[in-house]
Amino acid sequence: MTDNIIEVRDLVKHFPVRVGVLFKHTVGHVRAVDGVSFDLRRGETLGVVGESGCGKSTLAQVLMRLEPPTGGSATFEGRDMFAMKGAELRKLRRDIQIVLQDPYTSLNPRMTVGDIVGEPFEIHPEVAPKGSRAKKVRDLLDVVGLNPEHINRYPHQFSGGQRQRIGIARALALRPKVIVCDEPVSALDVSIQAQVMNLLGDLQTEFGLSYVFIAHDLSVVRHLSDRVAVMYLGKIVEIGTEQEIYEHPTHPYTQALLSAVPVPDPELRGQRKVIRLEGDVPSPVDPPSGCRFRTRCWKAQDICAEEEPALITRVAAHPSACHFAEEKSVVP
Amino acid sequence: MPTNTAQSTVDSEGAGPDPAAPLLEVDDLYVEFRTRDGVAKVLNGVSYRVEAGETLAVLGESGSGKSVTAQTVMGILDMPPGHITGGAIRFHGENLLAATDRRRREVRGSGIAMIFQDALSALNPVFTVGFQIEEQLRIRRGMSRKDARKRAVELLDLVKIPNAKGRVRQYPHEFSGGMRQRAMIAMSLALDPEMLIADEPTTALDVTVQAQIMDLLKEIQVERNMGLILITHDLGVVAEVADRIAVMYAGRIVEQSDARSLYRKPGHPYTLALLDSLPRLDLKGAELNTIKGLPPSLLNVPPGCPFHPRCPRVEDVCKTDVPPQHRLMPGRLSACHFAEELIAGD
């Protein structure tokens, strides 16, 4: 019996490309997210990886209801997320929170830490009555490993890692069920990155949170995720458990992506077989026909240009969107 | 290919250069930034050397001084607030810090060239990519516009930009991230430098593009027998390309070693902690080891070993005495009082 907290089906988000000054007209669409389906189970971490421009962050924004979807549906605890209004929507906004990438721009420099972390209570006063807010904020700072005495300091008085902790405290304030983490550690130094990753792991256990963990660093994603979705040009090309994706990838893109990650061990230099992809990701305004990866794929045949491969179970136990899916171990 | 003739362009002139000296030697360099808030000691006795054909990776977190060292070598440090308070930078034995501005300009570009992390802001948006490559050739080499254009196309070809003839007329914004980084590499190679400093060349790029760019750099380096300083915080990239590694912390080199020995047995607790805190693609662990605390403020570097407030094996001596560079074996240095024990232990 699986308990899905979020179910996403055929989610589409297109942004119009408009030209002209006075008489604007639409000349095309950026197909940022183009038919994505997945489930997020209660208490799990779903990692989403892919190169820049593949639609990871747009997916996050649509899930947060910051952007209306162009098509498709999503349910939160069985109820249609995109149809919610009024009180129900306010409740949804409590339940799904986000941690952003850049801790330098995502905090208002003119607000104290107490104001930043306490601001969600202004909008959702039912969570914490006025008198108890200061104490709640202190507790939150303590939970994320900051000194509660620093409640009156400003963001510039903190380092990058500490600021990311402030962002996490703010996301935790309303006791959400899901936190969308959009590249939460990519702006941090290695030694600080580990601290924040451990914190995210601890909080998940403590509060029973579900994470959608978006990152481009495959090592970071492996460390935190239970399941992983690999995105390419607005589509999920392969999805499975962390072990399935990292140990038994079947999609050529996943294999190329994994093999390109440098492994911090000079002994393996020259022994690993690295799949070199040519060129860059094509423009999402005009994606290739059929399989979107075919222009960079070494396995491409005629059928790849004609027929779009569906994300279904093929050779392995997990779904893969490739006509010629085959298992290949690329991680040493 | 005019690559082989390039070797002699710089050292043929002036009395300074010595052919027997190492290609580049940074010797006990001290730099401080005098700011309103006080004096930040950014570099505190940094020494390293790079030979032709060798790759030195300078590894460190933000604020460790790795980029400031490179900027001082290039002579592009902002002064003020920067002040060089001691040390020497020798290129073929000639001290660049004592050289005239004119001589420094000669070395910059044709002796030592540099590429930067963010190619979009390093390139000028209002000139074509071709023009920016040609500019140096026309001014420094006295080439005609036509010859310079021809050479620019050759250079873009060399860095594997498809359709170089058409691309040379385009502006930086028409290039993708990876292409821009290639264009910047082409630009840095225009005057056939003997030494290339790459400051976080792939940090802004995706892994698949990062692999392409690192391959390209390696290939060019081998072909031209260039010295390469790779500044990065990515322990994975370092493991794949570096011959030698210098680990920086709070304006000091805390460990210097060949790549294999360093990863096999780190000679400094900071290096060890860095390696332990890294999530690995090939291993899934439950909890990452972390380094407690934060790097020190350079306005107020702790006395003794700068790493002692965060070090798991700190002793009293660490809090008072700055550890000297211990020579652990030929080519291996560690600035830790207990370096020998670290290497010998378990």
Side-chain angles (χ1 to χ4, degrees), chain B residues 15-336:
Chain B
D18 168 12
L23 180 59
L24 179 77
E25 190 179 10
V26 175
D27 187 9
D28 206 21
L29 193 63
Y30 284 82
V31 170
E32 57 188 41
F33 283 2
R34 296 180 189 151
T35 67
R36 259 191 332 188
D37 301 328
V39 177
K41 298 197 181 310
V42 181
L43 297 183
N44 303 299
V46 169
S47 304
Y48 58 66
R49 52 164 69 188
V50 186
E51 303 285 354
E54 185 184 42
T55 303
L56 172 76
V58 180
L59 192 68
E61 297 182 270
S62 16
S64 61
K66 52 194 198 302
S67 292
V68 171
T69 317
Q71 286 169 3
T72 314
V73 170
M74 278 298 281
I76 55 169
L77 184 70
D78 284 332
M79 295 196 284
H83 290 267
I84 300 166
T85 49
I89 294 167
R90 294 190 199 92
F91 182 64
H92 285 296
E94 175 191 7
N95 186 1
L96 294 179
L97 294 180
T100 59
D101 286 354
R102 188 194 157 85
R103 175 71 189 136
R104 291 223 77 177
R105 280 199 296 275
E106 276 170 16
V107 173
R108 205 177 297 139
S110 58
I112 311 172
M114 184 161 175
I115 58 175
F116 301 89
Q117 171 176 355
D118 184 358
L120 187 59
S121 50
L123 295 169
N124 190 329
V126 301
F127 293 107
T128 62
V129 169
F131 179 87
Q132 296 181 56
I133 301 176
E134 290 153 26
E135 200 179 18
Q136 330 172 38
L137 292 164
R138 289 195 285 116
I139 293 167
R140 298 285 295 276
R141 288 285 146 83
M143 280 189 183
S144 68
R145 274 174 192 277
K146 210 175 130 205
D147 289 349
R149 173 54 55 101
K150 220 179 111 212
R151 182 75 187 124
V153 173
E154 280 172 20
L155 284 162
L156 290 182
D157 247 346
L158 180 80
V159 296
K160 302 193 178 84
I161 289 186
N163 181 25
K165 258 202 162 70
R167 285 287 192 171
V168 79
R169 291 170 208 282
Q170 290 188 330
Y171 290 87
H173 75 267
E174 297 175 86
F175 280 50
S176 70
M179 286 294 163
R180 273 183 218 128
Q181 200 54 272
R182 285 173 194 269
M184 197 153 62
I185 294 172
M187 196 176 296
S188 71
L189 297 176
L191 300 177
D192 301 304
E194 295 167 76
M195 171 93 232
L196 184 65
I197 303 176
D199 190 355
E200 305 261 10
T202 59
T203 306
L205 305 175
D206 284 312
V207 279
T208 57
V209 182
Q210 165 172 293
Q212 295 169 3
I213 297 290
M214 288 317 301
D215 279 355
L216 176 70
L217 274 177
K218 195 82 212 163
E219 193 184 312
I220 289 168
Q221 184 200 14
V222 170
E223 201 172 281
R224 300 179 167 227
N225 197 28
M226 253 180 352
L228 178 66
I229 297 179
L230 180 73
I231 298 169
T232 180
H233 64 271
D234 188 325
L235 289 141
V237 171
V238 169
E240 301 226 320
V241 300
D243 299 317
R244 281 193 309 118
I245 299 172
V247 184
M248 288 192 74
Y249 187 80
R252 286 191 178 87
I253 292 184
V254 294
E255 176 166 11
Q256 214 172 140
S257 164
D258 65 282
R260 273 170 194 259
S261 319
L262 182 131
Y263 280 83
R264 201 180 300 139
K265 199 136 209 136
H268 193 282
Y270 176 62
T271 320
L272 181 67
L274 267 189
L275 285 170
D276 276 352
S277 66
L278 200 64
R280 293 273 299 252
L281 189 65
D282 49 345
L283 308 166
K284 185 173 167 93
E287 184 94 345
L288 293 169
N289 290 311
T290 59
I291 309 179
K292 62 179 184 197
L294 302 168
S297 156
L298 295 171
L299 291 167
N300 188 15
V301 180
C305 171
F307 187 59
H308 86 253
R310 305 174 77 190
C311 186
R313 49 186 311 149
V314 57
E315 309 235 351
D316 283 345
V317 61
C318 306
K319 296 173 185 162
T320 50
D321 297 1
V322 176
Q325 295 279 350
H326 290 264
R327 184 171 294 278
L328 298 168
M329 56 179 84
R332 257 202 110 167
L333 296 172
S334 166
C336 175

Side-chain angles (χ1 to χ4, degrees), chain A residues 159-310:
Chain A
S159 69
Q162 288 174 323
R163 282 188 226 206
Q164 200 56 292
R165 287 174 193 266
I166 298 170
I168 293 170
R170 175 174 61 183
L172 282 176
L174 299 176
R175 288 295 152 99
K177 294 172 179 162
V178 175
I179 296 183
V180 178
C181 305
D182 190 359
E183 302 268 13
V185 296
S186 53
L188 307 175
D189 273 317
V190 186
S191 71
I192 309 300
Q193 180 178 302
Q195 294 174 358
V196 173
M197 284 170 66
N198 283 346
L199 173 67
L200 286 170
D202 294 346
L203 293 174
Q204 180 164 42
T205 321
E206 194 174 340
F207 297 105
L209 295 164
S210 310
Y211 289 142
V212 176
F213 192 88
I214 297 170
H216 69 276
D217 186 327
L218 288 116
S219 313
V220 169
V221 168
R222 175 163 206 187
H223 190 83
L224 281 174
S225 302
D226 302 305
R227 288 191 309 131
V228 178
V230 183
M231 280 188 79
Y232 188 76
L233 270 181
K235 288 200 177 285
I236 292 179
V237 296
E238 188 167 2
I239 186 166
T241 64
E242 161 268 323
Q243 195 140 24
E244 283 166 347
I245 296 293
Y246 284 84
E247 312 263 335
H248 312 285
T250 64
H251 196 284
Y253 179 62
T254 313
Q255 292 162 359
L257 207 56
L258 286 172
S259 81
V261 178
V263 170
D265 187 351
E267 308 286 341
L268 297 169
R269 201 187 284 179
Q271 290 176 25
R272 298 171 58 222
K273 190 147 170 33
V274 177
I275 303 164
R276 293 283 187 248
L277 287 183
E278 299 293 319
D280 297 306
V281 183
S283 159
V285 177
D286 185 21
S289 65
C291 172
R292 297 184 171 197
F293 184 57
R294 70 177 165 86
T295 51
R296 297 170 84 192
C297 183
W298 64 98
K299 285 182 173 175
Q301 309 266 339
D302 289 346
I303 185 179
C304 303
E306 289 151 16
E307 195 186 316
E308 186 174 323

Side-chain angles (χ1 to χ4, degrees), chain A:
Chain A
M1 183 63 208
T2 54
D3 180 12
N4 295 334
I5 189 157
I6 292 182
E7 290 181 10
V8 176
R9 292 292 172 267
D10 298 316
L11 191 68
V12 178
K13 176 67 196 176
H14 290 181
F15 294 99
V17 182
R18 291 162 74 81
V19 294
V21 183
L22 213 51
F23 302 100
K24 286 195 189 292
H25 58 284
T26 304
V27 292
H29 287 95
V30 176
R31 297 156 175 270
V33 175
D34 210 10
V36 162
S37 305
F38 63 85
D39 298 330
L40 178 68
R41 296 176 193 149
R42 203 177 289 275
E44 81 165 354
T45 301
L46 176 72
V48 179
V49 287
E51 292 175 280
S52 39
C54 74
K56 310 184 293 278
S57 292
T58 305
L59 178 66
Q61 286 172 355
V62 176
L63 283 180
M64 290 298 296
R65 280 208 60 176
L66 294 171
E67 290 279 357
T70 313
S73 64
T75 59
F76 180 81
E77 296 189 320
R79 284 164 295 134
D80 186 347
M81 263 170 72
F82 302 130
M84 288 182 190
K85 278 191 232 147
E88 202 182 10
L89 179 58
R90 286 171 67 87
K91 175 75 177 60
L92 177 77
R93 295 220 186 277
R94 270 183 56 186
D95 286 339
I96 310 183
Q97 290 286 320
I98 192 165
V99 175
L100 297 158
Q101 168 172 8
D102 185 351
Y104 293 84
T105 54
S106 60
L107 302 177
N108 187 336
R110 290 167 168 260
M111 286 167 76
T112 64
V113 171
D115 292 341
I116 291 170
V117 177
E119 198 181 20
F121 299 135
E122 304 268 325
I123 303 157
H124 298 276
E126 71 279 10
V127 182
K130 249 200 163 106
S132 70
R133 279 184 202 162
K135 184 178 178 304
K136 282 239 173 202
V137 171
R138 277 172 215 275
D139 289 348
L140 282 164
L141 292 180
D142 189 44
V143 163
V144 298
L146 290 171
N147 186 346
E149 307 287 307
H150 294 169
I151 191 164
N152 289 322
R153 292 199 181 181
Y154 286 89
H156 75 264
Q157 293 170 292
F158 294 89
S159 69
Q162 288 174 323
R163 282 188 226 206
Q164 200 56 292
R165 287 174 193 266
I166 298 170
I168 293 170
R170 175 174 61 183
L172 282 176
L174 299 176
R175 288 295 152 99
K177 294 172 179 162
V178 175
I179 296 183
V180 178
C181 305
D182 190 359
E183 302 268 13
V185 296
S186 53
L188 307 175
D189 273 317
V190 186
S191 71
I192 309 300
Q193 180 178 302
Q195 294 174 358
V196 173
M197 284 170 66
N198 283 346
L199 173 67
L200 286 170
D202 294 346
L203 293 174
Q204 180 164 42
T205 321
E206 194 174 340
F207 297 105
L209 295 164
S210 310
Y211 289 142
V212 176
F213 192 88
I214 297 170
H216 69 276
D217 186 327
L218 288 116
S219 313
V220 169
V221 168
R222 175 163 206 187
H223 190 83
L224 281 174
S225 302
D226 302 305
R227 288 191 309 131
V228 178
V230 183
M231 280 188 79
Y232 188 76
L233 270 181
K235 288 200 177 285
I236 292 179
V237 296
E238 188 167 2
I239 186 166
T241 64
E242 161 268 323
Q243 195 140 24
E244 283 166 347
I245 296 293
Y246 284 84
E247 312 263 335
H248 312 285
T250 64
H251 196 284
Y253 179 62
T254 313
Q255 292 162 359
L257 207 56
L258 286 172
S259 81
V261 178
V263 170
D265 187 351
E267 308 286 341
L268 297 169
R269 201 187 284 179
Q271 290 176 25
R272 298 171 58 222
K273 190 147 170 33
V274 177
I275 303 164
R276 293 283 187 248
L277 287 183
E278 299 293 319
D280 297 306
V281 183
S283 159
V285 177
D286 185 21
S289 65
C291 172
R292 297 184 171 197
F293 184 57
R294 70 177 165 86
T295 51
R296 297 170 84 192
C297 183
W298 64 98
K299 285 182 173 175
Q301 309 266 339
D302 289 346
I303 185 179
C304 303
E306 289 151 16
E307 195 186 316
E308 186 174 323
L311 182 63
I312 49 170
T313 314
R314 291 169 193 266
V315 287
H318 64 280
S320 170
C322 176
H323 292 301
F324 304 102
E326 66 182 319
E327 223 177 84
K328 186 172 181 178
S329 178
V330 285
V331 175

